[in-house]
Amino acid sequence: MSVSTAATARTVCAPLPVLGRDVTVPLVTGGEVTYAALDYAASAPALQRVWDDVAAYAPYYGSVHRGAGYLSQLSTDLFENARRTVTEFLDCRPDDQLVFTRSTTDSLNLLARALPAGCQVFVFETEHHASLLPWQDARVTYLNAPRTPRQAVETLERALADRDPHGPALVCVTGASNVTGELWPVRELAAAAHAHGARIVLDAAQLAPHHPVSVQELDVDWVAFSGHKLYAPFGAGVLAGRADWLVAADPYLAGGGASRKVARREDGGVDVEWHESAARHEAGSPNVIGAYSIASACKALTEAGFDSLVAREEYLIAKVRAGLAEVPQVKVLSLFGDDAPRVGVISFVVEGWNSSHFAAALSAEYGIGVRDGLFCAHPLVRTLLGSDPQTQGECGAPEAAPGEKSLNAIRVSFGAGTPDEHVERFVNAVRELVSEGARWQYRTEDGRCVPAV
């Protein structure tokens, strides 16, 4: 996709107002600059609309599902209305359950705890650790990284055809890679899973902030995502989907809220009757503000219109990719190739630079925040980088394993709140660093590359 003209740029929407858009940061070379937050894939800035909604509710905060007072009733209604809003946002089936969790990681660990006995799990090595690692207590088959969407479907079909056809099975797949940004063929993978009697859970952490996610259209059994990637400011997440496995499983956490009835037995023990609703897996006082912030973000994105948001993001993606393509020393990482559809997540390496050193220079000398490392997707990044380490440079990769000090990459990510100037500054900074080098000296401190003082 070529860079859009100025006329084309005017046809896409303006960036949505987010917190921190006017924050200035110091530069090691002197002066200050407005911070360019280009690490949306880790945590997106909160939408101003979400923050305002939460601030308006905060004085009315009360206990949820616990009290007869006005504020408790108000908070309970707010919490349950948030559940309905997010359910609609995800286009869930009428009998699906939606559980509020702490994050995508928490959601997938909850589902892992709810797997039926003997369940086989199939997961690509390309997954984020949140969806790669929770299945350790199940029979797990790790699938090799595919190089095309079609190959992904064929790899899954072969693996499922060889499984025990009589037991339960689950496929876990991402909607958009947190490393390459590439969209995965979720609907086709779901069809393959169901054709072989398996279920499928979608890790939508990187997909939901950028594209509409319909449980029914994609035909997935569950979907998980995090509020902090969806422009919500608090530690909350969602697991939504079929109720049967969740109802049949012991509560994820045992405690108040999950229990409907508790009674002592004559032998001194305790009998517990657990809820069969989403409350079964929401023990303790729920994070009502977190749930409300997710619902507010869902409303804000829906009202802004995903067509407009996607158009703007595609414009920014094209701008960044075209700029990087003009620098021969830059290699963009990809599984499916340059023409694959993607969200605003791009990882790359720079010839002659260690990625941690390059990211530190972007921050210290240009006020640009990106991510460096292996992005909690170690097998995927190692596959994409190969076995050859990068030039060590002045700083090593943070928290790298022995012998892999320089095996890391740089990730730039953006979304609905990113202004043009941020990506333009990033592209210009890449050009300058490659052609002129860093203007400052750097050293490794506590595993991070930092400016030397």
Side-chain angles (χ1 to χ4, degrees):
M1 184 179 188
S2 61
V3 177
S4 303
T5 63
T8 303
R10 289 194 294 270
T11 67
V12 301
C13 65
L16 300 183
V18 294
L19 295 182
R21 59 190 180 275
D22 298 323
V23 169
T24 59
V25 294
L27 302 179
V28 293
T29 51
E32 294 186 341
V33 67
T34 303
Y35 183 65
L38 296 178
D39 193 17
Y40 276 48
S43 286
L47 289 171
Q48 185 68 52
R49 152 80 177 273
V50 174
W51 190 261
D52 291 344
D53 283 349
V54 170
Y57 160 67
Y60 301 94
Y61 177 83
S63 61
V64 177
H65 299 151
R66 298 291 194 275
Y70 178 81
L71 296 190
S72 291
Q73 294 296 307
L74 179 68
S75 293
T76 298
D77 287 346
L78 197 80
F79 185 71
E80 294 304 333
N81 283 333
R83 196 189 308 276
R84 284 187 283 273
T85 296
V86 182
T87 297
E88 292 173 2
F89 178 78
L90 294 173
D91 188 29
C92 291
R93 295 167 290 260
D95 56 350
D96 282 344
Q97 278 191 1
L98 188 144
V99 180
F100 283 114
T101 65
R102 293 177 295 177
S103 60
T104 307
T105 303
D106 197 36
S107 296
L108 294 172
N109 274 271
L110 189 166
L111 185 60
R113 285 279 299 274
L115 295 180
C119 188
Q120 295 177 270
V121 178
F122 297 83
V123 56
F124 286 93
E125 67 171 350
T126 48
E127 293 291 309
H128 185 281
H129 294 171
S131 47
L132 185 73
L133 301 180
W135 323 106
Q136 299 298 307
D137 293 334
R139 289 187 293 162
V140 188
T141 298
Y142 295 105
L143 307 176
N144 292 335
R147 287 299 182 167
T148 66
R150 182 65 243 168
Q151 190 180 79
V153 177
E154 292 170 349
T155 298
L156 179 62
E157 287 176 334
R158 285 194 299 270
L160 290 173
D162 291 338
R163 81 175 185 90
D164 177 0
H166 301 295
L170 178 71
V171 176
C172 180
V173 67
T174 189
S177 171
N178 78 304
V179 176
T180 67
E182 292 163 317
L183 299 178
W184 276 63
V186 176
R187 189 177 303 165
E188 293 81 358
L189 290 166
H194 294 152
H196 289 85
R199 294 189 177 188
I200 185 168
V201 57
L202 169 64
D203 175 354
Q206 299 297 338
L207 182 63
H210 304 276
H211 286 264
V213 174
S214 168
V215 168
Q216 297 193 68
E217 288 186 11
L218 294 173
D219 196 24
V220 294
D221 297 281
W222 292 276
V223 61
F225 71 88
S226 296
H228 70 97
K229 299 185 192 298
L230 195 80
Y231 310 102
F234 300 101
V238 167
L239 175 67
R242 301 198 183 277
D244 54 350
W245 286 10
L246 300 178
V247 172
D250 289 338
Y252 183 46
L253 297 172
S259 55
R260 179 185 297 168
K261 180 181 178 181
V262 180
R264 289 293 300 274
R265 297 195 305 263
E266 290 185 2
D267 64 4
V270 174
D271 285 325
V272 184
E273 181 181 334
W274 304 106
H275 281 293
E276 294 190 355
S277 65
R280 185 183 190 90
H281 298 291
E282 293 178 343
S285 296
N287 181 1
V288 58
I289 290 182
Y292 182 47
S293 68
I294 289 179
S296 175
C298 290
K299 287 181 179 178
L301 293 175
T302 300
E303 291 170 7
F306 270 105
D307 287 347
S308 296
L309 295 175
V310 169
R312 173 169 179 75
E313 187 168 315
E314 288 178 346
Y315 163 70
L316 294 178
I317 291 170
K319 203 165 195 172
V320 171
R321 286 177 60 82
L324 294 179
E326 293 175 353
V327 185
Q329 295 85 348
V330 170
K331 176 188 175 183
V332 174
L333 306 183
S334 175
L335 273 174
F336 300 154
D338 289 343
D339 295 332
R342 66 193 70 229
V343 299
V345 179
I346 299 169
S347 295
F348 62 98
V349 292
V350 183
E351 182 183 344
W353 284 80
N354 177 269
S355 293
S356 294
H357 185 193
F358 200 88
L362 286 173
S363 174
E365 300 178 29
Y366 297 91
I368 298 170
V370 297
R371 181 63 60 102
D372 66 277
L374 300 177
F375 318 127
C376 290
H378 295 187
L380 171 57
V381 180
R382 289 188 177 114
T383 294
L384 294 173
L385 291 178
S387 59
D388 294 332
Q390 301 168 48
T391 301
Q392 181 60 31
E394 298 175 45
C395 294
E399 301 177 2
E404 293 184 344
K405 283 187 176 182
S406 57
L407 189 65
N408 58 330
I410 307 152
R411 184 181 70 192
V412 57
S413 52
F414 41 88
T418 305
D420 289 20
E421 189 276 330
H422 287 186
V423 299
E424 291 165 358
R425 193 195 320 168
F426 165 75
V427 169
N428 289 333
V430 170
R431 291 195 192 103
E432 286 187 9
L433 285 172
V434 171
S435 63
E436 302 174 16
R439 291 171 286 175
W440 206 262
Q441 296 295 312
Y442 295 82
R443 60 186 175 84
T444 301
E445 180 179 294
D446 296 329
R448 294 296 311 171
C449 189
V450 298
V453 292

